[in-house]
């Protein structure tokens, strides 16, 4: 199923990615809580891949994070390195074969990959892989990324990633797991958010939103720069600029409007404050005669507060979510 075949009445451009590098064997459990904090970014499927330094194990399925990871599911996922993903359909349909992370065997050992974004040249890259004899099992552009990396040349996964990134056009925030390290990267346009933080125990976590990092106890949180690669390994974090950031950055406005949690910070801005500012500006540019300002929960609440503050029209609730049915 192509991107163009997806319905146009639903936002399908967001996913949540997460990477964990700890100094213990609880990376999957931290990954679970991190994904739970990213549940709003994708409610179709979830998965976690873990490495103990020898083998990569994975559990993934369709459904919410709490449905995919039931009691006992995390027990076999032992290791100090992990990546996770929670999914909305972007390129590729909502089917079991498109659930991430993807795990492939390579001449350099196992490789797991999860992706938030949408490649604009995915069809051309996919055709090149097929012409070279590669076997594709899904319709997702994320599998294309994994197979291109598996075939890339270089002395390390970060080297192979740096060599391959210039071939990708469009949005990509990547988390990559090998037997001994986690590698994260962001496209040079800066389309999607990705941040990294330090755990109190000395490990590191990277995630799509800062709120997920705070949930697992991270401090020293910073945004991964556009075009940057960050390597997380054995309590150490190394980073370098693989591609120069594009002069015209293309950060997704909808992250501030709708996608991100209100407690997130991205591009130096509080998402909650950005939404309130938008509501204030809306009241200035398009004043309205009304008795009450009513938000449609939840993402429009700060905007409604801002509109009410500037317009003088009282704020009140008119729609209430049932928060107890899941």
């Amino acid at each position: 199923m192509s991107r163009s075949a997806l319905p146009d009445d639903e936002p399908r451009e967001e996913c949540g990615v997460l990477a964990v590098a700890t100094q213990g064997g609880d990376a999957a459990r931290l990954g679970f809580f991190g994904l739970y904090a990213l549940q709003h970014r994708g409610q179709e499927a979830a998965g976690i891949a873990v490495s103990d330094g020898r083998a990569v194990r994975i559990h993934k399925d369709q459904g919410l994070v709490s449905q995919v990871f039931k009691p006992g599911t995390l027990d076999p996922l032992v290791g100090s390195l992990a990546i996770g993903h929670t999914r909305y359909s972007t390129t590729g349909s909502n089917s079991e074969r498109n659930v991430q992370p993807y795990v492939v065997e390579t001449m350099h050992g196992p490789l797991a990959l999860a992706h938030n974004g949408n490649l604009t040249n995915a069809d051309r890259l996919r055709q090149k892989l097929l012409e070279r004899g590669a076997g594709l099992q899904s319709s997702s552009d994320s599998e294309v990324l994994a197979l291109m990396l598996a075939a890339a040349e270089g002395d390390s996964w970060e080297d192979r990633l740096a060599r391959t990134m210039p071939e990708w056009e469009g949005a990509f925030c990547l988390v990559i797991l090998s037997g001994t390290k986690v590698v994260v990267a962001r496209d040079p346009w800066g389309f999607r958010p990705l941040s990294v933080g330090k755990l109190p125990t000395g490990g590191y976590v990277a995630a799509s939103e800062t709120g997920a990092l705070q949930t697992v106890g991270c401090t020293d949180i910073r945004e991964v720069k556009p075009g940057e690669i960050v390597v997380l390994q054995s309590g150490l974090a190394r980073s370098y600029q693989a591609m120069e950031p594009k002069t015209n950055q293309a950060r997704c406005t909808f992250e501030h409007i709708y996608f991100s949690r209100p407690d997130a910070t991205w591009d130096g801005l509080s998402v909650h404050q950005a939404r309130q500012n938008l509501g204030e500006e809306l009241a200035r540019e398009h004043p309205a005669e009304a008795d009450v300002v009513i938000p449609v929960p939840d993402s429009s609440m700060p905007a409604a507060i801002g509109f009410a503050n500037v317009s003088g029209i009282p704020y009140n609730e008119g729609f209430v979510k049932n928060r107890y049915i899941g």
Side-chain angles (χ1 to χ4, degrees):
M1 185 175 184
S2 68
R3 173 68 183 91
S4 59
L6 292 168
D8 292 329
D9 60 348
E10 297 182 29
R12 292 178 176 269
E13 298 300 328
E14 58 166 342
C15 293
V17 294
L18 183 107
V20 180
T22 69
Q23 294 178 309
D26 60 345
R29 198 162 300 278
L30 277 175
F32 168 80
F33 289 115
L35 284 186
Y36 206 88
L38 295 173
Q39 182 70 89
H40 60 289
R41 296 188 68 86
Q43 300 177 356
E44 293 175 354
I48 293 175
V50 176
S51 172
D52 60 1
R54 298 182 298 274
V56 171
R57 300 178 179 86
I58 188 168
H59 180 79
K60 60 181 182 177
D61 204 349
Q62 292 176 283
L64 300 174
V65 173
S66 60
Q67 296 168 331
V68 173
F69 298 99
K70 298 175 182 177
T73 305
L74 293 172
D75 292 344
L77 301 180
V78 178
S80 61
L81 304 170
I83 62 171
H85 189 266
T86 184
R87 183 174 195 269
Y88 272 128
S89 300
T90 52
T91 299
S93 60
N94 177 26
S95 65
E96 187 173 352
R97 65 179 184 166
N98 287 327
V99 179
Q100 299 184 42
Y102 289 105
V103 178
V104 294
E105 290 294 333
T106 79
M107 63 182 296
H108 309 290
L111 175 72
L113 178 145
H115 167 221
N116 174 30
N118 201 2
L119 296 186
T120 56
N121 63 338
D123 289 344
R124 186 166 74 250
L125 296 175
R126 182 182 181 86
Q127 185 60 37
K128 284 184 177 180
L129 285 171
L130 292 173
E131 290 172 357
R132 285 162 43 190
L136 292 161
Q137 299 181 9
S138 75
S139 56
S140 171
D141 56 355
S142 305
E143 187 185 21
V144 172
L145 298 176
L147 292 182
M148 288 182 69
L149 268 180
E153 297 180 353
D155 296 329
S156 64
W157 285 116
E158 54 266 36
D159 291 340
R160 297 172 200 119
L161 178 58
R163 288 171 181 258
T164 312
M165 282 173 62
E167 298 185 54
W168 300 333
E169 298 173 4
F172 55 90
C173 284
L174 298 177
V175 290
I176 300 163
L177 172 70
S178 71
T180 59
K181 68 181 74 171
V182 170
V183 183
V184 306
R186 189 165 171 224
D187 65 72
W189 293 272
F191 281 107
R192 300 277 177 246
L194 186 64
S195 296
V196 63
K198 187 174 183 179
L199 291 167
T201 55
Y204 291 87
V205 180
S208 293
E209 294 186 23
T210 56
L213 300 178
Q214 293 167 337
T215 294
V216 298
C218 282
T219 59
D220 300 326
I221 296 171
R222 74 165 180 91
E223 186 175 336
V224 176
K225 299 173 186 176
E228 185 182 20
I229 291 176
V230 182
V231 182
L232 308 177
Q233 183 180 24
S234 302
L236 301 174
R238 297 179 286 112
S239 66
Y240 62 96
Q241 200 68 35
M243 295 183 68
E244 285 298 315
K246 298 294 183 180
T247 303
N248 298 321
Q249 290 289 284
R251 304 197 178 211
C252 177
T253 305
F254 230 58
E255 292 286 349
H256 282 134
I257 295 172
Y258 177 73
F259 287 156
S260 293
R261 276 175 28 166
D263 60 346
T265 300
W266 185 46
D267 195 20
L269 297 174
S270 158
V271 169
H272 175 88
Q273 189 61 54
R275 290 174 183 167
Q276 187 167 325
N277 293 347
L278 287 168
E280 292 176 356
E281 188 61 26
L282 179 64
R284 296 186 190 102
E285 293 186 15
H286 297 280
E289 294 184 10
D291 300 314
V292 64
V293 179
I294 296 174
V296 179
D298 284 322
S299 58
S300 70
M301 287 180 172
I305 292 170
F307 193 99
N309 287 344
V310 169
S311 67
I313 302 171
Y315 169 97
N316 212 326
E317 291 187 4
F319 298 95
V320 179
K321 272 186 177 181
N322 185 338
R323 305 183 184 280
Y324 310 101
I325 59 173

